[in-house]
Amino acid sequence: MKIKILGSAAGGGFPQWNCNCPNCAGLRAGTIKAQARTQSSIAVSTNDQDWLLINASPDLLKQIRDNPELQPARKVRDTGIAAVLLTDAQIDHVTGLLMLREFARPWPLYTSAAVWEDISTGFPITSILSHYCGVEHHELSLTGQAITGLDFLHDVRITAVPLSSKAPPYSPNRDRPQLGDNIGLWIENLASEQCLFYAPGLGEPEEHVSHYMRRADVVLVDGTLWAEDEMIQLGLSAKKSSQMGHLALSGAGGMIELLDSLNHQGHVPRKVLVHINNSNPILREDSAERAVLTQHGIEVGYDGMEFEV
Ligand code: MLT
Ligand code: MN
Ligand code: ZN
């Protein structure tokens, strides 16, 4: 099973269009050691032809151009994307659906009931798409039953894991958390017996989540912000990381600590960060914060990064 990171940045991408923080300005000026990143998405395939798109980024069209395997060109109108799954309803994870409107059939779309509600009310993409290709909704189980119907993925079992995080600012449920506002995915290759855990929006360390993460061979998780008050310190926003539904990397009880705790009985998962905000100092390859990650055996995901699991 192949997993490709199509976009490794959080909402806004890197650099963000209106941002002149040290990272965004430095990248534009060519004065920092860092690479540009598109907004958050991954894709999974077992035959390099048919892909499950997990999160549909506003940068999807660039991502398709950058990853020619997503366009196998078998007929005059074609795509390698066979179905779409959303882990939450944030703008950076759903807007790309609008770019897929020329599809020849309704899109097989896998979401929780809470995400379906958000993209049918607060941001009614599903009703907009009904005037184009339409969508065929499959509701994800939140009680540990594996997803069915993704037959183009051979010997793969995917299970949704509910996470504590936040519904998007536009959601009618922004301040009324619903189970399934945000999920992680437990992705098992039954042939190789290897597993990956994916969670680009993880707000709190929770035991049922660590339980999966400890058993994973690869964890691809939320690396949005280095510090709880990073956006405030940089004068970018008044919001703390936790208010945005993201567990900051540093500090007591932070993501680095959580990832450290996964090492047990000689098993150490490969640990890779995704959904990285443009303000995060780990984007600078020679920063002190990046060196801390390296000491902890944590990698920083980048667009085009691939895993064989
Ligand atoms: C988030 O996950 O908090 C988002 O990246 C915010 C956004 O899309 O604006
Ligand atoms: Mn996001
Ligand atoms: Zn910035």
Side-chain angles (χ1 to χ4, degrees), residues 6 19 39 87 95 124-125 159 192 198 211 229 302:
L6 305 181
C19 190
Q39 295 168 79
T87 61
T95 318
I125 296 185
T159 311
S192 69
Y198 173 61
H211 166 80
D229 62 352
Y302 53 87

Side-chain angles (χ1 to χ4, degrees), residues 10-11 90-92 244 246 275:
Q90 296 270 5
I91 301 262
D92 57 341
M244 294 164 61
H246 298 292
H275 193 277

Side-chain angles (χ1 to χ4, degrees), residues 74-88:
R74 295 162 292 200
K75 48 188 192 286
V76 64
R77 287 250 164 123
D78 196 18
T79 177
I81 302 171
V84 184
L85 190 161
L86 306 175
T87 61
D88 60 58

